[in-house]
Structures are given as structure tokens and as C-alpha cells.
């Protein structure tokens, strides 16, 4: 066999409705895109907008948006996690975070939050409609990254990856056509993103974890950099198409990471999410928000949550939000306030 001409495409699959298919060390990947309406001044849609929706479980996408599990403000009221990490990368809109450690945050517009649930945390993720004179568009990815057995009971921790610190790399092919790479994890061409939490699988030097968003102009070419043997690299082509080895590809594709693979956008361009990492290679036992290695671990997670509620819920309601005028911020469990680089806007309350 002539290996030089063997296709770098190892597997193709349909994306279908989110969540998308994932591969070890990733557990889950969903792409939310909502054209939320004008806010009512209390961060919610007008009551008339809610008529006919199944509040508490509205994934209808009616009129271009969903309430998800929210009853008043769209989003995901308090819910527990154990044994893995969530990476929430927000392209447009805002997320209001609150958790059982008494931490809060408002982030969005290019920010990402990397949360190690570890031994257990309860958090809420609400989508406040801060604009009262125009629509409130939202686009985000939420990605779940597994934790190896040794770190499943790590202390909960979150890292804020502010947009100002996330590299955005602009590369041009020989014809001058541009591909833009947003680097949430895994360096690209010497551009290094902020560090993930210390117990993350991505924090290990040899795990090759990468999360990249590619946006390519029509026919733009870019060569995927080589990764280590044993790494799994998946491309989710959710807008447009790519040409790889003279083959038009839409949807999902797993490619050989050990070769420099040239990808070219189709005639309408392409927008692609790249997830890559060395597999953890351990058994996975999952039930809803708990991901352990075996049934006994899941049973213990349920027992612990029923007994301790992972620290309890310190907020006055299940879906806290952070006011109409607050900017982006993070307040740590010890009360320390963190603002995006260059930001001086005060936080109200």
C-alpha cells in the first residue's frame, strides 16, 4: 500500500441534532444558537413570548430560541455534576454562573469557562436577556471532558478564559484567503491559550487536548498541525463544507493527526469545531450528570449528593442572575473579584 496516498480521513459521521457524537476523552458536545427576543428589563422574555412553551423543558427552538430548563430566564437552573469537566465557550450572548461553592460569574462574548466538577458541584447557567431595545442573540458550545480515575474526586475548580486572553490566529494561504482559528485549548503556531484547571486532563503535558474553532473563507486552505500518535482528532463541520484529499466532507470526520492534513473550505466557506485529545482509555459509567468508572462509583455519587448536596445551594432561588447592568466578572468562593483584562467596570451587588 502506498501510505503517501492513503486518505487521512479515518471515519465520517452525520452531525444530526446536538449533542454531537464525541470520542474519548470527550463525553458530550452541544452547540446552542438562539435568537432570544428583546428583554423585559428583568432579564427575561416578555410573558407573551412564553405562551405555549413547555416551561422547565423547552427545547422547541420555536421562533429561533428555547427556554431550555428555565421558567423565567432561559438557561439551566441548579443541577449537579461529578467526575468530569465542562468547557462552556460563548461566542455571543452572556451566561450567568452560580454554584454551591458560593462562586458567581457573568461571562460571554468570546469568553470560556472551564469547570472541573471533580468530587461534586452544583451550578446554574442562565442566559440573561440584558438588551431591552433589541434581540439578545446567543451562541455557545458546551463540551464535557472526562477525568481519569485518579482525578475524578479532585476539588471543584473553575478557570475563566477571558476573550482578551484567548488567541485568535489569522492565517492566509498562498492566494491570500483567510482562516481564523480561535484557540481555546492546545497551542496553534506558537499561540498558547490560557491554562485549564490544574486537575484537568488537558493540563497534563502529553494529552494533546485541543479545542479550536475554525472559520474559513471560501476555498481557503490551512494545514492541520501534526499531533502525537494515539491522539484522536475530530472535526465538526457545522457550516459549509471542507475538501480533504479531494473529497467533499460535511458533518463530522475523524482525521489522522500524525500527518499534516490540508483542509480547504468549500465555495461558501466553512465553520468547524476541532476536538482533539489522547484517550484516557478507562471504563466510563455515566448516568446523567455523573460520570464515573463503574456502577459502584455512580451509586456513591447519588448517595453523596443526597446526603450533602455537594455543599448545598446557597442562593435564594434555583436560577440566580446577576442584574441588568453588570458587566463580565467572576467572584471566587473566597469573595475575590476577577475582571477581564483591561476591564474597570464595577460589579453591582
Amino acid at each position: 500500500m502506498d501510505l503517501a496516498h492513503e486518505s487521512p480521513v479515518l471515519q465520517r459521521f452525520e452531525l444530526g441534532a446536538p449533542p454531537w457524537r464525541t470520542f474519548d476523552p470527550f463525553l458530550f458536545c452541544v452547540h446552542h444558537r438562539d435568537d432570544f427576543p428583546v428583554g423585559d428589563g428583568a432579564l427575561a422574555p416578555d410573558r407573551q413570548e412564553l405562551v405555549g412553551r413547555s416551561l422547565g423543558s423547552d427545547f422547541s427552538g420555536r421562533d429561533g430560541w428555547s427556554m431550555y430548563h428555565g421558567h423565567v430566564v432561559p438557561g439551566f437552573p441548579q443541577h449537579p455534576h461529578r467526575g468530569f469537566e465542562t468547557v462552556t465557550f460563548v461566542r455571543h450572548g452572556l451566561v450567568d454562573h452560580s454554584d454551591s461553592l458560593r462562586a458567581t460569574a457573568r461571562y460571554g462574548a468570546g469568553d470560556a469557562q472551564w469547570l472541573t466538577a471533580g468530587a461534586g458541584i452544583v451550578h446554574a447557567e442562565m442566559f440573561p436577556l440584558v438588551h431591552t431595545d433589541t434581540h439578545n442573540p446567543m451562541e455557545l458550545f458546551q463540551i464535557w471532558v472526562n477525568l481519569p480515575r485518579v482525578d475524578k474526586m479532585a476539588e471543584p475548580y473553575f478557570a475563566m478564559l477571558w476573550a482578551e486572553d484567548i488567541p485568535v490566529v489569522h492565517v492566509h494561504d498562498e492566494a491570500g484567503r483567510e482562516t481564523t482559528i480561535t484557540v481555546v485549548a492546545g497551542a496553534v503556531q506558537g499561540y498558547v491559550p490560557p491554562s485549564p484547571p490544574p486537575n484537568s486532563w488537558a493540563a497534563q503535558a502529553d494529552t494533546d487536548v485541543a479545542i479550536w474553532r475554525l472559520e474559513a473563507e471560501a476555498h481557503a486552505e490551512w494545514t492541520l498541525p501534526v499531533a502525537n500518535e494515539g491522539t484522536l482528532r475530530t472535526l465538526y463541520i457545522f457550516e459549509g463544507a471542507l475538501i480533504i484529499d479531494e473529497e467533499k466532507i460535511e458533518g463530522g470526520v475523524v482525521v489522522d493527526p500524525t500527518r499534516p492534513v490540508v483542509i480547504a473550505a468549500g465555495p461558501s466557506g466553512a465553520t468547524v469545531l476541532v476536538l482533539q485529545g489522547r484517550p484516557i482509555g478507562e471504563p466510563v459509567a455515566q448516568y446523567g450528570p455523573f460520570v464515573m468508572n463503574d456502577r459502584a462509583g455512580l451509586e456513591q455519587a447519588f448517595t453523596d449528593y443526597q446526603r450533602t448536596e455537594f455543599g448545598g445551594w446557597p442562593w435564594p432561588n434555583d436560577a440566580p442572575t446577576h442584574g441588568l447592568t453588570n458587566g463580565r466578572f467572576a467572584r471566587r468562593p473566597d469573595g475575590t473579584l476577577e475582571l477581564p483584562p483591561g476591564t474597570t467596570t464595577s460589579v453591582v451587588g
Side-chain angles (χ1 to χ4, degrees):
M1 179 183 294
D2 184 355
L3 295 179
H5 291 90
E6 185 179 2
S7 174
V9 174
L10 304 179
Q11 184 177 351
R12 296 178 61 170
F13 57 94
E14 298 291 330
L15 287 190
W20 296 330
R21 183 179 179 185
T22 54
F23 301 88
D24 190 359
F26 299 97
L27 298 163
F28 176 90
C29 179
V30 66
H31 180 216
H32 291 302
R33 185 150 45 188
D34 294 275
D35 184 21
F36 289 124
V38 172
D40 68 351
L43 307 178
D46 184 271
R47 286 183 177 273
Q48 286 299 116
E49 298 276 5
L50 303 181
V51 174
R53 292 181 181 267
S54 299
L55 296 181
S57 184
D58 171 37
F59 291 76
S60 65
R62 197 182 80 189
D63 299 328
W65 57 279
S66 299
M67 284 292 288
Y68 301 105
H69 292 309
H71 286 84
V72 179
V73 174
F76 296 85
Q78 65 144 316
H79 56 281
H81 291 304
R82 172 180 276 188
F84 64 100
E85 302 183 286
T86 62
V87 181
T88 308
F89 172 40
V90 185
R91 293 281 300 166
H92 303 288
L94 294 169
V95 175
D96 278 357
H97 165 94
S98 305
D99 67 39
S100 54
L101 303 180
R102 297 183 179 273
T104 57
R106 170 170 283 178
Y107 62 96
D111 301 326
Q113 184 200 62
W114 197 311
L115 171 67
T116 301
I121 193 169
V122 181
H123 74 153
E125 301 160 292
M126 307 309 297
F127 307 149
L129 308 189
V130 296
H131 300 300
T132 58
D133 56 354
T134 187
H135 279 217
N136 289 268
M138 161 72 75
E139 182 187 5
L140 66 79
F141 298 92
Q142 184 161 99
I143 300 156
W144 292 9
V145 187
N146 200 8
L147 287 168
R149 187 188 304 270
V150 68
D151 289 315
K152 281 202 175 291
M153 297 298 287
E155 288 294 316
Y157 183 94
F158 72 78
M160 290 307 309
L161 283 59
W162 300 112
E164 292 82 351
D165 292 329
I166 294 175
V168 179
V169 185
H170 302 274
V171 296
H172 297 86
D173 62 19
E174 292 182 352
R177 294 169 295 214
E178 184 176 79
T179 299
T180 303
I181 307 112
T182 304
V183 187
V184 178
V188 173
Q189 297 185 188
Y191 290 87
V192 180
S195 298
N199 290 103
S200 174
W201 184 242
Q204 310 304 314
D206 60 348
T207 57
D208 249 358
V209 172
I211 301 173
W212 305 329
R213 181 186 183 275
L214 314 180
E215 189 166 351
E217 295 178 348
H219 305 295
E221 294 187 358
W222 183 57
T223 301
L224 290 164
V226 171
N228 294 324
E229 186 173 357
T231 294
L232 284 176
R233 174 179 283 167
T234 308
L235 280 58
Y236 300 88
I237 307 157
F238 60 95
E239 291 178 350
L242 290 180
I243 308 300
I244 302 177
D245 199 36
E246 300 183 354
E247 181 180 7
K248 180 181 178 181
I249 298 178
E250 299 171 304
V253 60
V254 181
V255 299
D256 184 350
T258 66
R259 297 163 57 183
V261 178
V262 178
I263 59 174
S268 60
T271 312
V272 183
L273 178 70
V274 180
L275 298 183
Q276 156 188 306
R278 177 166 63 83
I280 294 171
E282 295 178 353
V284 173
Q286 179 174 354
Y287 192 93
F290 304 141
V291 181
M292 306 304 289
N293 292 109
D294 51 33
R295 182 179 178 84
L298 290 177
E299 292 174 350
Q300 188 64 54
F302 277 99
T303 298
D304 291 348
Y305 178 57
Q306 291 169 353
R307 179 174 55 86
T308 70
E309 294 184 327
F310 296 158
W313 188 244
W315 309 106
N317 60 69
D318 289 342
T321 52
H322 305 322
L324 187 64
T325 59
N326 281 345
R328 296 146 59 220
F329 72 93
R331 195 180 295 279
R332 299 290 173 176
D334 65 1
T336 302
L337 179 65
E338 178 184 340
L339 297 176
T343 301
T344 58
T345 304
S346 62
V347 177
V348 179

